[in-house]
């Protein structure tokens, strides 16, 4: 049996996150610019999905932020120096030797840390719009409703682009690591 790389709670988090976040982002883009291309029936059903996914995502991310050991994820000093150099050299085909990292490479660490901040931040802004009266002073602080909407939209674009990169690397860099996000073991 291979080494345990992803304990069950992390795998559960990952595979619950994938469909909920995909629905949240897709309905978000639909609500911003409704088009039949997305396949949603109408605004009412898209809103229902959007808000249900938001509740689930908030619960999921609260558990993750509370329970996940962040030392594996947040970059250390070495990730900005020698490890980053080795990582960039390999990714840009400057060396054929695949470098070894403690668990995640610096690219993964930057991405996971970005999501650790970006997803809760976007959810918080979304709750501002959902309870505008309650969060009125906060909305003012963030420059008004339109400015909050714009920030959520930009977060949606950044999330989509970064997830595309993650899926690409997840599917192409290592079959053992790809297997481990399903089975837990390499
Ligand atoms: C079908 C699409 C996806 C595939 C194939 C995939 C694949 C993977 C793989 C292989 C890993 C483990 C990497 C390793 O062990 O080195 C991983 C981790 C991770 N993925 Fe995905 N992923 C997908 C979608 C997503 C999406 C949509 C998100 C949401 C932002 C996401 C967030 C994460 C996070 C946060 C981790 C690190 C988990 C932790 O250790 O706490 N993934 N993914």
């Amino acid at each position: 049996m291979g080494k345990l790389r992803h304990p069950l709670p992390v795998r559960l988090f990952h595979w619950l996150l994938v469909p909920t976040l995909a629905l949240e982002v897709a309905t978000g883009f639909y609500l911003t610019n409704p088009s039949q291309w997305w396949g949603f029936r109408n605004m009412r059903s898209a809103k229902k999905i959007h808000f249900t996914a938001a509740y689930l995502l908030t619960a999921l991310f609260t558990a993750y932020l509370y329970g996940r050991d962040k030392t594996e994820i947040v970059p250390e000093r070495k990730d900005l120096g020698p490890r980053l150099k080795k990582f960039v050299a390999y990714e840009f085909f400057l060396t054929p030797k695949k470098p070894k990292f403690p668990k995640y490479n610096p690219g993964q660490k930057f991405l996971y840390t970005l999501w650790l901040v970006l997803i809760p931040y976007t959810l918080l802004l979304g709750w501002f719009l959902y309870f505008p009266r309650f969060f009125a002073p906060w909305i003012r602080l963030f420059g008004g409703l339109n400015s909050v909407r714009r920030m959520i939209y930009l977060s949606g674009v950044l999330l989509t682009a970064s997830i595309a990169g993650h899926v690409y690397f997840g599917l192409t860099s290592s079959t053992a690591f790809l297997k481990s996000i399903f089975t837990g073991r390499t």
Side-chain angles (χ1 to χ4, degrees):
M1 219 196 300
K3 225 178 105 200
L4 181 67
R5 185 170 172 86
H6 298 297
L8 186 62
V10 170
R11 281 178 282 146
L12 271 179
F13 162 78
H14 187 269
W15 292 116
L16 288 172
L17 182 67
V18 171
T20 13
L21 196 62
L23 281 175
E24 185 74 356
V25 173
T27 47
F29 282 131
Y30 174 84
L31 294 171
T32 308
N33 185 12
S35 142
Q36 286 186 339
W37 185 87
W38 290 100
F40 299 112
R41 236 183 300 151
N42 49 41
M43 288 292 266
R44 188 196 287 258
S45 72
K47 269 189 183 169
K48 221 183 249 176
I49 299 170
H50 194 66
F51 299 143
T52 310
Y55 277 108
L56 290 173
L57 273 178
T58 305
L60 209 55
F61 239 83
T62 308
Y64 186 68
L65 282 177
Y66 181 74
R68 181 71 169 98
D69 171 13
K70 263 73 97 208
T71 54
E72 284 187 341
I73 290 178
V74 176
E76 317 163 51
R77 194 175 271 273
K78 280 189 208 154
D79 291 302
L80 305 169
R83 282 185 198 152
L84 185 64
K85 254 192 209 162
K86 277 198 277 180
F87 171 69
V88 171
Y90 179 72
E91 294 303 333
F92 284 91
F93 310 105
L94 300 175
T95 166
K97 208 172 143 235
K98 195 169 186 172
K100 282 207 162 60
F101 298 103
K103 179 163 185 178
Y104 294 129
N105 67 45
Q108 286 173 301
K109 283 189 171 185
F110 291 134
L111 202 61
Y112 301 158
T113 306
L114 170 76
W115 292 340
L116 217 51
V117 179
L118 185 65
I119 296 175
Y121 165 78
T122 316
L123 283 169
L124 185 69
L125 292 182
W127 291 118
F128 286 3
L129 296 185
Y130 193 69
F131 297 111
R133 271 174 214 268
F134 183 78
F135 286 112
W138 286 92
I139 293 172
R140 263 197 303 279
L141 195 74
F142 278 76
L145 281 173
N146 268 344
S147 154
V148 172
R149 283 198 191 100
R150 207 172 302 129
M151 284 188 253
I152 294 183
Y153 182 78
L154 287 177
S155 297
V157 173
L158 185 56
L159 262 176
T160 308
S162 54
I163 289 171
H166 170 72
V167 174
Y168 171 77
F169 282 108
L171 293 175
T172 57
S173 50
S174 153
T175 40
F177 293 168
L178 179 59
K179 183 182 137 238
S180 73
I181 199 68
F182 293 94
T183 64
R185 295 183 182 273
T186 48

